[in-house]
Amino acid sequence: NGNTVPISVSAPGAVAIALFATGNPEPPLVTFKFGPLAGSQTASTRVRLAKTQDVIAIAQMGVGSFVQTSATVNVTIGGCGG
């Protein structure tokens, strides 16, 4: 069900992780930021997805580089209306 899709991300050493849904009307989903006192660079949330699509995570690492990964999420009932 596209109304509540659970997503978890982890990137040890990251200062931020941004999530994007390529098939949504508004692709940016959320950005998690981690300060120097963060116990871990892990986050979980629930998002709405309009249809089956790729969800992309981009992590900004503490040394200034970026790491990207993606996964295809199958949605049987769209959560963004329409």
Side-chain angles (χ1 to χ4, degrees):
N1 182 337
N3 277 321
T4 58
V5 178
I7 294 180
S8 295
V9 292
S10 178
V15 294
I17 302 173
L19 296 177
F20 301 88
T22 59
N24 269 11
E26 297 288 329
L29 295 174
V30 65
T31 299
F32 300 103
K33 295 185 178 185
F34 305 100
L37 298 178
S40 68
Q41 292 74 32
T42 301
S44 298
T45 190
R46 294 182 183 273
V47 299
R48 286 186 174 186
L49 297 179
K51 59 185 178 182
T52 296
Q53 60 190 285
D54 290 333
V55 173
I56 299 169
I58 300 175
Q60 179 181 2
M61 305 309 288
V63 295
S65 63
F66 292 84
V67 178
Q68 175 181 320
T69 190
S70 64
T72 300
V73 178
N74 293 317
V75 174
T76 56
I77 300 171
C80 293

